[in-house]
Amino acid sequence: GVSSFQALMVSTASRVGTGNIIGVSSAICIGGFGSVFWMWVIAIIGSASALIESTLAQIYKKKGKDGECYGGPAYYIEAALHCRPLAIVFCLSMIATYAFGFNMLASYNLQSTFSGFSFYDAKWTPWIIGGILAVITGWCLLGGGSRIVKVTSTLVPAMGVAYILIVMIINRAYLPVVFSKIISEAFDFQAIFGAFAGSAMMQGIRRGLYSNEAGIGSAPNASASAQVSHPIKQGLVQMLSVFIDTLLLCTATAMMCLSSGIAPAKELQGAPWVQAALHESLGSFGPLFITVAMVLFAFTTLLGNCFYCDNLLNYIHRGQPSKTFMKGFRIVSALVVFIGAGMEVSMLWNISDVLMGVMALINIPVILILSNTALKALADYEKQKKDGENPVFKAGDIGLEYETDYWG
Protein backbone atom coordinates (compact mmCIF):
# COMPACT_ATOMS: atom_id res chain seq x y z
CA GLY A 1 0.00 0.00 0.00
CA VAL A 2 0.93 3.64 -0.10
CA SER A 3 1.31 5.93 2.88
CA SER A 4 -1.52 8.14 4.01
CA PHE A 5 0.38 11.18 2.73
CA GLN A 6 0.88 9.67 -0.73
CA ALA A 7 -2.81 8.84 -1.02
CA LEU A 8 -3.57 12.45 -0.06
CA MET A 9 -1.21 13.64 -2.79
CA VAL A 10 -2.72 11.43 -5.50
CA SER A 11 -6.22 12.61 -4.71
CA THR A 12 -5.04 16.19 -4.28
CA ALA A 13 -3.23 15.89 -7.63
CA SER A 14 -6.45 15.00 -9.30
CA ARG A 15 -8.40 17.61 -7.31
CA VAL A 16 -5.87 20.37 -7.70
CA GLY A 17 -5.91 20.82 -11.34
CA THR A 18 -7.18 23.05 -14.01
CA GLY A 19 -10.44 23.48 -12.06
CA ASN A 20 -8.63 25.57 -9.50
CA ILE A 21 -7.52 28.13 -12.02
CA ILE A 22 -9.71 27.88 -15.09
CA GLY A 23 -12.88 26.73 -13.31
CA VAL A 24 -12.71 29.57 -10.80
CA SER A 25 -12.06 32.08 -13.53
CA SER A 26 -15.02 30.78 -15.59
CA ALA A 27 -17.33 30.88 -12.58
CA ILE A 28 -16.51 34.50 -11.72
CA CYS A 29 -16.67 35.65 -15.34
CA ILE A 30 -20.14 34.16 -15.71
CA GLY A 31 -21.55 34.44 -12.20
CA GLY A 32 -19.76 37.43 -10.69
CA PHE A 33 -17.88 37.80 -7.40
CA GLY A 34 -20.52 36.01 -5.36
CA SER A 35 -19.66 32.65 -6.97
CA VAL A 36 -16.64 32.41 -4.69
CA PHE A 37 -18.83 32.34 -1.60
CA TRP A 38 -20.85 29.42 -2.97
CA MET A 39 -17.63 27.57 -3.72
CA TRP A 40 -16.79 27.85 -0.03
CA VAL A 41 -20.22 26.54 0.95
CA ILE A 42 -19.76 23.51 -1.30
CA ALA A 43 -16.33 22.89 0.22
CA ILE A 44 -17.75 22.76 3.73
CA ILE A 45 -20.59 20.41 2.73
CA GLY A 46 -18.14 18.52 0.51
CA SER A 47 -15.65 17.88 3.26
CA ALA A 48 -18.34 16.02 5.19
CA SER A 49 -19.14 13.78 2.23
CA ALA A 50 -15.39 13.30 1.63
CA LEU A 51 -14.99 12.05 5.20
CA ILE A 52 -17.79 9.50 4.81
CA GLU A 53 -16.93 8.22 1.35
CA SER A 54 -13.22 7.81 2.14
CA THR A 55 -13.94 6.08 5.45
CA LEU A 56 -16.27 3.64 3.67
CA ALA A 57 -13.65 2.97 1.01
CA GLN A 58 -11.17 2.11 3.78
CA ILE A 59 -13.59 -0.19 5.65
CA TYR A 60 -14.57 -2.18 2.55
CA LYS A 61 -11.15 -2.23 0.84
CA LYS A 62 -9.80 -5.46 -0.64
CA LYS A 63 -6.42 -7.16 -0.55
CA GLY A 64 -4.83 -7.67 -3.95
CA LYS A 65 -2.64 -10.65 -4.95
CA ASP A 66 0.46 -8.45 -4.67
CA GLY A 67 -0.42 -7.40 -1.11
CA GLU A 68 -1.56 -3.95 -2.23
CA CYS A 69 -4.96 -2.75 -1.07
CA TYR A 70 -7.57 -1.22 -3.33
CA GLY A 71 -11.18 -0.17 -3.10
CA GLY A 72 -13.62 2.63 -3.82
CA PRO A 73 -17.34 3.20 -4.34
CA ALA A 74 -17.72 0.14 -6.58
CA TYR A 75 -16.49 -2.04 -3.72
CA TYR A 76 -18.66 -0.54 -1.01
CA ILE A 77 -21.71 -0.62 -3.30
CA GLU A 78 -21.18 -4.34 -3.88
CA ALA A 79 -20.15 -5.21 -0.33
CA ALA A 80 -22.83 -3.36 1.56
CA LEU A 81 -25.71 -3.23 -0.91
CA HIS A 82 -24.95 -6.53 -2.72
CA CYS A 83 -25.58 -4.87 -6.06
CA ARG A 84 -22.83 -5.57 -8.56
CA PRO A 85 -24.70 -4.17 -11.61
CA LEU A 86 -25.02 -0.76 -9.93
CA ALA A 87 -21.32 -0.89 -9.07
CA ILE A 88 -20.46 -1.60 -12.70
CA VAL A 89 -22.62 1.29 -13.89
CA PHE A 90 -20.73 3.49 -11.44
CA CYS A 91 -17.37 2.27 -12.77
CA LEU A 92 -18.35 2.90 -16.37
CA SER A 93 -19.65 6.38 -15.59
CA MET A 94 -16.45 7.20 -13.74
CA ILE A 95 -14.24 5.96 -16.57
CA ALA A 96 -16.28 8.08 -18.99
CA THR A 97 -16.00 11.09 -16.68
CA TYR A 98 -12.28 10.83 -16.01
CA ALA A 99 -10.60 9.20 -18.98
CA PHE A 100 -12.80 11.09 -21.42
CA GLY A 101 -14.64 14.13 -20.02
CA PHE A 102 -12.11 15.52 -17.57
CA ASN A 103 -9.04 14.60 -19.59
CA MET A 104 -10.38 16.35 -22.68
CA LEU A 105 -11.10 19.38 -20.56
CA ALA A 106 -7.68 19.35 -18.91
CA SER A 107 -6.04 19.07 -22.29
CA TYR A 108 -8.09 21.97 -23.67
CA ASN A 109 -7.32 24.09 -20.62
CA LEU A 110 -3.64 23.34 -20.96
CA GLN A 111 -3.37 24.46 -24.56
CA SER A 112 -5.61 27.51 -23.98
CA THR A 113 -3.01 28.95 -21.61
CA PHE A 114 -0.74 29.49 -24.59
CA SER A 115 -3.33 31.67 -26.33
CA GLY A 116 -1.74 34.82 -24.91
CA PHE A 117 1.60 34.23 -26.63
CA SER A 118 2.56 35.60 -30.02
CA PHE A 119 3.24 32.21 -31.64
CA TYR A 120 -0.32 30.99 -30.97
CA ASP A 121 -2.39 30.33 -34.07
CA ALA A 122 -5.96 29.26 -33.26
CA LYS A 123 -6.09 26.89 -36.21
CA TRP A 124 -2.94 24.80 -35.68
CA THR A 125 -1.42 25.42 -32.26
CA PRO A 126 -4.06 23.56 -30.17
CA TRP A 127 -3.52 20.39 -32.21
CA ILE A 128 0.27 20.62 -32.01
CA ILE A 129 0.20 21.14 -28.24
CA GLY A 130 -2.41 18.38 -27.91
CA GLY A 131 -0.18 16.03 -29.89
CA ILE A 132 2.87 16.70 -27.73
CA LEU A 133 0.79 16.29 -24.58
CA ALA A 134 -0.75 13.03 -25.82
CA VAL A 135 2.70 11.55 -26.50
CA ILE A 136 4.05 12.51 -23.06
CA THR A 137 0.90 11.23 -21.31
CA GLY A 138 1.05 7.96 -23.23
CA TRP A 139 4.72 7.52 -22.33
CA CYS A 140 4.02 8.05 -18.63
CA LEU A 141 1.01 5.72 -18.66
CA LEU A 142 2.78 2.89 -20.45
CA GLY A 143 5.68 3.26 -18.00
CA GLY A 144 3.36 2.09 -15.24
CA GLY A 145 1.94 3.75 -12.15
CA SER A 146 4.99 4.02 -9.92
CA ARG A 147 6.39 6.89 -11.97
CA ILE A 148 3.07 8.69 -11.73
CA VAL A 149 2.97 8.58 -7.94
CA LYS A 150 6.59 9.72 -7.64
CA VAL A 151 6.20 12.64 -10.03
CA THR A 152 2.88 13.90 -8.67
CA SER A 153 3.80 13.63 -5.01
CA THR A 154 6.71 16.01 -5.58
CA LEU A 155 5.15 18.40 -8.10
CA VAL A 156 1.78 19.11 -6.55
CA PRO A 157 2.81 20.40 -3.10
CA ALA A 158 5.57 22.55 -4.55
CA MET A 159 3.31 24.12 -7.17
CA GLY A 160 0.45 24.74 -4.78
CA VAL A 161 2.59 26.44 -2.16
CA ALA A 162 4.37 28.64 -4.70
CA TYR A 163 1.04 29.59 -6.23
CA ILE A 164 -0.63 30.61 -2.97
CA LEU A 165 2.36 32.52 -1.60
CA ILE A 166 3.13 34.54 -4.70
CA VAL A 167 -0.49 35.51 -5.16
CA MET A 168 -1.36 36.42 -1.58
CA ILE A 169 1.80 38.43 -0.93
CA ILE A 170 1.41 40.59 -4.00
CA ASN A 171 -2.23 41.39 -3.39
CA ARG A 172 -2.42 41.56 0.40
CA ALA A 173 -3.57 45.23 0.39
CA TYR A 174 -6.73 44.44 -1.54
CA LEU A 175 -7.92 41.43 0.43
CA PRO A 176 -10.43 43.14 2.81
CA VAL A 177 -12.20 44.92 -0.07
CA VAL A 178 -12.41 41.74 -2.10
CA PHE A 179 -13.79 39.72 0.83
CA SER A 180 -16.56 42.20 1.52
CA LYS A 181 -17.48 42.27 -2.16
CA ILE A 182 -17.69 38.47 -2.35
CA ILE A 183 -19.99 38.29 0.67
CA SER A 184 -22.24 41.14 -0.44
CA GLU A 185 -22.68 39.73 -3.95
CA ALA A 186 -23.30 36.17 -2.76
CA PHE A 187 -26.60 37.22 -1.19
CA ASP A 188 -27.72 39.50 -3.96
CA PHE A 189 -30.98 37.61 -4.40
CA GLN A 190 -31.82 39.34 -7.62
CA ALA A 191 -28.64 37.85 -9.04
CA ILE A 192 -29.50 34.40 -7.72
CA PHE A 193 -33.05 34.25 -9.04
CA GLY A 194 -32.53 36.52 -12.02
CA ALA A 195 -30.79 33.98 -14.18
CA PHE A 196 -30.35 30.87 -12.14
CA ALA A 197 -28.10 28.95 -14.51
CA GLY A 198 -25.76 31.89 -15.02
CA SER A 199 -26.06 33.08 -11.45
CA ALA A 200 -23.40 33.29 -8.81
CA MET A 201 -24.92 30.46 -6.81
CA MET A 202 -25.15 28.04 -9.70
CA GLN A 203 -21.70 28.84 -11.10
CA GLY A 204 -20.10 28.63 -7.68
CA ILE A 205 -21.68 25.26 -6.98
CA ARG A 206 -20.91 23.75 -10.39
CA ARG A 207 -17.31 24.91 -10.50
CA GLY A 208 -16.78 24.24 -6.80
CA LEU A 209 -17.80 20.63 -7.37
CA TYR A 210 -15.66 20.31 -10.48
CA SER A 211 -12.75 21.64 -8.54
CA ASN A 212 -12.93 19.64 -5.30
CA GLU A 213 -14.76 16.53 -6.55
CA ALA A 214 -16.16 15.82 -3.10
CA GLY A 215 -19.05 13.38 -2.96
CA ILE A 216 -18.85 12.19 -6.54
CA GLY A 217 -16.89 9.11 -5.52
CA SER A 218 -13.53 9.71 -7.14
CA ALA A 219 -11.21 10.29 -4.19
CA PRO A 220 -12.20 7.07 -2.34
CA ASN A 221 -10.38 5.15 -5.08
CA ALA A 222 -7.12 6.76 -4.01
CA SER A 223 -7.81 6.77 -0.29
CA ALA A 224 -8.57 3.04 -0.22
CA SER A 225 -4.97 2.35 -1.21
CA ALA A 226 -3.53 3.98 1.92
CA GLN A 227 -2.44 1.87 4.87
CA VAL A 228 -3.77 3.26 8.14
CA SER A 229 -4.66 1.78 11.52
CA HIS A 230 -8.17 3.25 11.46
CA PRO A 231 -10.41 4.13 8.46
CA ILE A 232 -11.35 7.50 9.96
CA LYS A 233 -7.72 8.61 9.76
CA GLN A 234 -7.85 8.49 5.99
CA GLY A 235 -11.30 10.11 5.99
CA LEU A 236 -9.89 13.07 7.92
CA VAL A 237 -6.96 13.31 5.54
CA GLN A 238 -9.41 13.51 2.63
CA MET A 239 -11.31 16.29 4.35
CA LEU A 240 -8.02 18.13 4.40
CA SER A 241 -7.66 17.57 0.67
CA VAL A 242 -11.01 19.29 -0.02
CA PHE A 243 -9.98 22.10 2.28
CA ILE A 244 -6.59 22.61 0.55
CA ASP A 245 -8.32 22.56 -2.76
CA THR A 246 -11.22 24.94 -2.38
CA LEU A 247 -10.55 27.08 0.62
CA LEU A 248 -6.88 27.66 -0.18
CA LEU A 249 -6.21 27.24 -3.89
CA CYS A 250 -9.51 28.37 -5.38
CA THR A 251 -9.62 31.33 -3.03
CA ALA A 252 -6.07 32.23 -4.02
CA THR A 253 -7.05 32.30 -7.70
CA ALA A 254 -10.15 34.34 -6.95
CA MET A 255 -8.22 36.87 -4.87
CA MET A 256 -5.53 37.22 -7.47
CA CYS A 257 -7.95 37.88 -10.29
CA LEU A 258 -10.37 40.03 -8.33
CA SER A 259 -7.72 42.30 -6.86
CA SER A 260 -5.96 42.92 -10.17
CA GLY A 261 -8.46 45.58 -11.17
CA ILE A 262 -9.42 43.85 -14.41
CA ALA A 263 -13.18 43.44 -14.59
CA PRO A 264 -14.42 39.89 -15.26
CA ALA A 265 -16.28 39.53 -18.55
CA LYS A 266 -17.92 36.59 -20.31
CA GLU A 267 -15.52 36.71 -23.25
CA LEU A 268 -12.52 36.49 -20.92
CA GLN A 269 -13.67 33.31 -19.14
CA GLY A 270 -10.99 30.71 -18.47
CA ALA A 271 -7.29 31.24 -18.99
CA PRO A 272 -7.38 34.68 -20.69
CA TRP A 273 -8.76 36.46 -17.60
CA VAL A 274 -6.24 34.85 -15.27
CA GLN A 275 -3.43 35.82 -17.62
CA ALA A 276 -4.62 39.40 -17.92
CA ALA A 277 -4.87 39.63 -14.12
CA LEU A 278 -1.38 38.24 -13.62
CA HIS A 279 0.04 40.49 -16.28
CA GLU A 280 -1.34 43.36 -14.25
CA SER A 281 0.29 42.32 -10.97
CA LEU A 282 3.48 40.56 -12.12
CA GLY A 283 4.26 42.24 -15.42
CA SER A 284 5.39 40.03 -18.30
CA PHE A 285 6.45 37.30 -15.85
CA GLY A 286 2.74 36.78 -14.97
CA PRO A 287 1.43 34.93 -18.02
CA LEU A 288 4.60 32.85 -18.05
CA PHE A 289 4.08 31.81 -14.43
CA ILE A 290 0.44 30.85 -15.00
CA THR A 291 1.35 28.87 -18.12
CA VAL A 292 3.92 26.82 -16.20
CA ALA A 293 1.48 26.34 -13.30
CA MET A 294 -1.30 25.29 -15.68
CA VAL A 295 0.89 22.88 -17.60
CA LEU A 296 1.92 21.16 -14.36
CA PHE A 297 -1.59 21.23 -12.87
CA ALA A 298 -3.22 19.91 -16.03
CA PHE A 299 -0.58 17.24 -16.43
CA THR A 300 -0.89 15.95 -12.87
CA THR A 301 -4.69 15.92 -13.37
CA LEU A 302 -4.34 13.82 -16.51
CA LEU A 303 -2.13 11.27 -14.78
CA GLY A 304 -4.20 11.17 -11.58
CA ASN A 305 -7.34 10.53 -13.63
CA CYS A 306 -5.75 7.63 -15.48
CA PHE A 307 -4.58 6.15 -12.18
CA TYR A 308 -8.25 6.04 -11.10
CA CYS A 309 -9.27 4.21 -14.26
CA ASP A 310 -6.84 1.34 -13.66
CA ASN A 311 -8.57 0.67 -10.38
CA LEU A 312 -12.03 0.66 -11.98
CA LEU A 313 -11.02 -1.66 -14.80
CA ASN A 314 -9.67 -4.12 -12.23
CA TYR A 315 -13.07 -4.13 -10.57
CA ILE A 316 -15.03 -4.70 -13.78
CA HIS A 317 -12.70 -7.55 -14.83
CA ARG A 318 -12.61 -9.07 -11.32
CA GLY A 319 -8.82 -8.88 -11.43
CA GLN A 320 -6.15 -7.38 -13.65
CA PRO A 321 -7.25 -7.08 -17.30
CA SER A 322 -4.87 -8.53 -19.89
CA LYS A 323 -1.71 -6.59 -20.84
CA THR A 324 -2.97 -6.00 -24.39
CA PHE A 325 -6.27 -4.62 -23.14
CA MET A 326 -4.51 -2.16 -20.82
CA LYS A 327 -2.15 -1.09 -23.60
CA GLY A 328 -5.11 -0.45 -25.85
CA PHE A 329 -6.96 1.47 -23.17
CA ARG A 330 -3.93 3.66 -22.50
CA ILE A 331 -3.40 4.44 -26.16
CA VAL A 332 -7.08 5.41 -26.44
CA SER A 333 -6.69 7.62 -23.33
CA ALA A 334 -3.76 9.38 -24.99
CA LEU A 335 -5.77 9.91 -28.19
CA VAL A 336 -8.62 11.44 -26.22
CA VAL A 337 -6.14 13.96 -24.81
CA PHE A 338 -5.20 14.87 -28.36
CA ILE A 339 -8.84 15.32 -29.47
CA GLY A 340 -9.78 17.38 -26.41
CA ALA A 341 -7.17 20.03 -27.16
CA GLY A 342 -8.99 21.22 -30.26
CA MET A 343 -12.62 21.05 -29.12
CA GLU A 344 -15.05 23.82 -28.22
CA VAL A 345 -14.91 24.88 -24.59
CA SER A 346 -18.54 25.20 -23.45
CA MET A 347 -19.29 21.80 -24.94
CA LEU A 348 -16.44 20.28 -22.93
CA TRP A 349 -17.69 21.83 -19.67
CA ASN A 350 -21.20 20.56 -20.38
CA ILE A 351 -20.02 17.02 -21.15
CA SER A 352 -18.02 16.95 -17.92
CA ASP A 353 -20.88 18.39 -15.86
CA VAL A 354 -23.32 15.75 -17.09
CA LEU A 355 -20.91 12.85 -16.59
CA MET A 356 -20.00 14.07 -13.12
CA GLY A 357 -23.71 14.36 -12.29
CA VAL A 358 -24.24 10.69 -13.12
CA MET A 359 -21.51 9.72 -10.66
CA ALA A 360 -22.95 11.91 -7.91
CA LEU A 361 -26.45 10.49 -8.49
CA ILE A 362 -25.13 7.01 -7.78
CA ASN A 363 -22.60 7.79 -5.06
CA ILE A 364 -24.44 10.28 -2.87
CA PRO A 365 -27.53 8.11 -2.15
CA VAL A 366 -25.18 5.19 -1.44
CA ILE A 367 -23.09 7.11 1.08
CA LEU A 368 -26.30 8.31 2.74
CA ILE A 369 -27.53 4.73 3.09
CA LEU A 370 -24.15 3.60 4.44
CA SER A 371 -23.34 6.71 6.46
CA ASN A 372 -24.39 4.94 9.65
CA THR A 373 -21.43 2.57 9.34
CA ALA A 374 -19.03 5.47 8.84
CA LEU A 375 -20.50 7.40 11.77
CA LYS A 376 -20.13 4.36 14.05
CA ALA A 377 -16.49 4.17 12.98
CA LEU A 378 -16.13 7.87 13.80
CA ALA A 379 -17.61 7.36 17.27
CA ASP A 380 -15.22 4.43 17.79
CA TYR A 381 -12.28 6.61 16.71
CA GLU A 382 -13.29 9.44 19.06
CA LYS A 383 -13.72 7.06 21.97
CA GLN A 384 -10.22 5.62 21.50
CA LYS A 385 -8.78 9.11 21.10
CA LYS A 386 -10.41 10.18 24.39
CA ASP A 387 -8.82 7.23 26.15
CA GLY A 388 -5.48 8.48 24.87
CA GLU A 389 -4.78 5.50 22.60
CA ASN A 390 -3.66 5.41 18.98
CA PRO A 391 -7.00 4.40 17.38
CA VAL A 392 -7.03 0.88 15.92
CA PHE A 393 -10.12 -0.34 14.11
CA LYS A 394 -11.81 -3.75 14.43
CA ALA A 395 -14.93 -4.46 12.38
CA GLY A 396 -16.50 -6.27 15.34
CA ASP A 397 -16.35 -3.12 17.49
CA ILE A 398 -19.05 -1.44 15.42
CA GLY A 399 -21.06 -4.63 14.86
CA LEU A 400 -20.20 -4.93 11.18
CA GLU A 401 -21.44 -8.27 9.84
CA TYR A 402 -19.62 -8.06 6.54
CA GLU A 403 -16.39 -10.10 6.28
CA THR A 404 -13.74 -7.45 5.67
CA ASP A 405 -10.27 -8.21 4.29
CA TYR A 406 -8.44 -5.99 6.73
CA TRP A 407 -10.33 -5.26 9.90
CA GLY A 408 -11.04 -8.75 11.20
Side-chain angles (χ1 to χ4, degrees):
V2 290
S3 70
S4 203
F5 177 75
Q6 279 173 317
L8 170 70
M9 282 306 134
V10 170
S11 62
T12 307
S14 141
R15 280 198 174 112
V16 173
T18 49
N20 295 76
I21 300 179
I22 305 281
V24 174
S25 156
S26 302
I28 297 172
C29 285
I30 299 171
F33 284 67
S35 318
V36 180
F37 177 81
W38 295 106
M39 282 191 168
W40 295 338
V41 173
I42 274 289
I44 293 162
I45 299 171
S47 57
S49 57
L51 169 75
I52 302 233
E53 61 181 3
S54 295
T55 303
L56 289 171
Q58 271 290 337
I59 296 177
Y60 291 108
K61 68 185 178 180
K62 294 266 184 247
K63 218 183 213 118
K65 291 194 180 93
D66 46 6
E68 296 282 306
C69 44
Y70 53 89
Y75 295 92
Y76 59 69
I77 292 171
E78 186 180 358
L81 301 178
H82 311 295
C83 184
R84 188 172 158 87
L86 181 65
I88 289 182
V89 172
F90 179 84
C91 284
L92 294 173
S93 69
M94 179 153 168
I95 290 172
T97 309
Y98 279 78
F100 298 94
F102 285 2
N103 277 1
M104 280 178 154
L105 194 54
S107 161
Y108 176 87
N109 285 340
L110 190 145
Q111 67 80 17
S112 72
T113 11
F114 290 93
S115 60
F117 294 98
S118 52
F119 64 77
Y120 188 89
D121 166 26
K123 207 152 119 208
W124 297 110
T125 318
W127 297 109
I128 296 168
I129 295 171
I132 297 168
L133 184 65
V135 170
I136 299 173
T137 311
W139 175 79
C140 271
L141 289 178
L142 296 171
S146 54
R147 263 185 230 158
I148 300 180
V149 177
K150 279 202 184 77
V151 175
T152 45
S153 58
T154 41
L155 278 182
V156 176
M159 277 309 309
V161 170
Y163 185 69
I164 294 176
L165 289 178
I166 292 179
V167 170
M168 290 302 192
I169 291 165
I170 296 167
N171 297 324
R172 59 184 184 279
Y174 291 106
L175 297 183
V177 186
V178 174
F179 266 112
S180 61
K181 191 151 183 186
I182 289 175
I183 303 291
S184 65
E185 287 198 15
F187 296 103
D188 172 0
F189 283 103
Q190 196 182 348
I192 295 178
F193 295 113
F196 194 69
S199 73
M201 193 172 187
M202 198 60 198
Q203 284 304 322
I205 291 173
R206 279 168 68 184
R207 292 295 149 262
L209 262 182
Y210 170 69
S211 163
N212 68 35
E213 304 181 356
I216 63 170
S218 57
N221 293 293
S223 52
S225 58
Q227 301 211 315
V228 286
S229 67
H230 198 296
I232 291 286
K233 287 186 178 175
Q234 194 55 32
L236 294 170
V237 167
Q238 290 302 340
M239 280 181 85
L240 183 72
S241 174
V242 173
F243 178 83
I244 293 173
D245 177 274
T246 307
L247 296 178
L248 294 179
L249 285 158
C250 286
T251 308
T253 304
M255 294 299 164
M256 168 182 79
C257 295
L258 294 174
S259 56
S260 65
I262 291 181
K266 269 210 170 95
E267 49 280 5
L268 284 178
Q269 67 166 316
W273 188 47
V274 184
Q275 281 173 321
L278 271 175
H279 196 270
E280 200 62 26
S281 50
L282 292 177
S284 58
F285 169 67
L288 200 69
F289 172 70
I290 198 77
T291 302
V292 173
M294 276 299 299
V295 167
L296 288 175
F297 279 172
F299 190 63
T300 52
T301 305
L302 286 174
L303 295 183
N305 291 352
C306 293
F307 172 79
Y308 282 159
C309 292
D310 287 6
N311 198 347
L312 299 164
L313 290 166
N314 287 355
Y315 175 81
I316 295 174
H317 280 263
R318 293 184 188 269
Q320 291 252 303
S322 65
K323 285 254 163 52
T324 3
F325 177 82
M326 287 314 291
K327 245 199 184 109
F329 178 74
R330 296 199 156 125
I331 290 165
V332 172
S333 310
L335 278 175
V336 168
V337 169
F338 173 65
I339 298 166
M343 278 176 73
E344 202 270 315
V345 61
S346 57
M347 185 169 129
L348 286 174
W349 276 117
N350 292 341
I351 292 174
S352 300
D353 278 345
V354 170
L355 289 171
M356 195 164 69
V358 174
M359 286 172 65
L361 282 176
I362 299 175
N363 189 49
I364 290 178
V366 171
I367 57 180
L368 281 173
I369 296 167
L370 297 179
S371 58
N372 203 3
T373 309
L375 293 173
K376 280 183 191 157
L378 180 61
D380 176 62
Y381 175 84
E382 285 172 345
K383 185 171 147 278
Q384 296 189 40
K385 262 284 193 246
K386 264 205 188 98
D387 301 344
E389 303 159 27
N390 176 25
V392 175
F393 182 71
K394 296 238 179 327
D397 293 351
I398 63 164
L400 195 66
E401 266 121 55
Y402 176 77
E403 227 7 78
T404 58
D405 282 18
Y406 276 86
W407 316 105

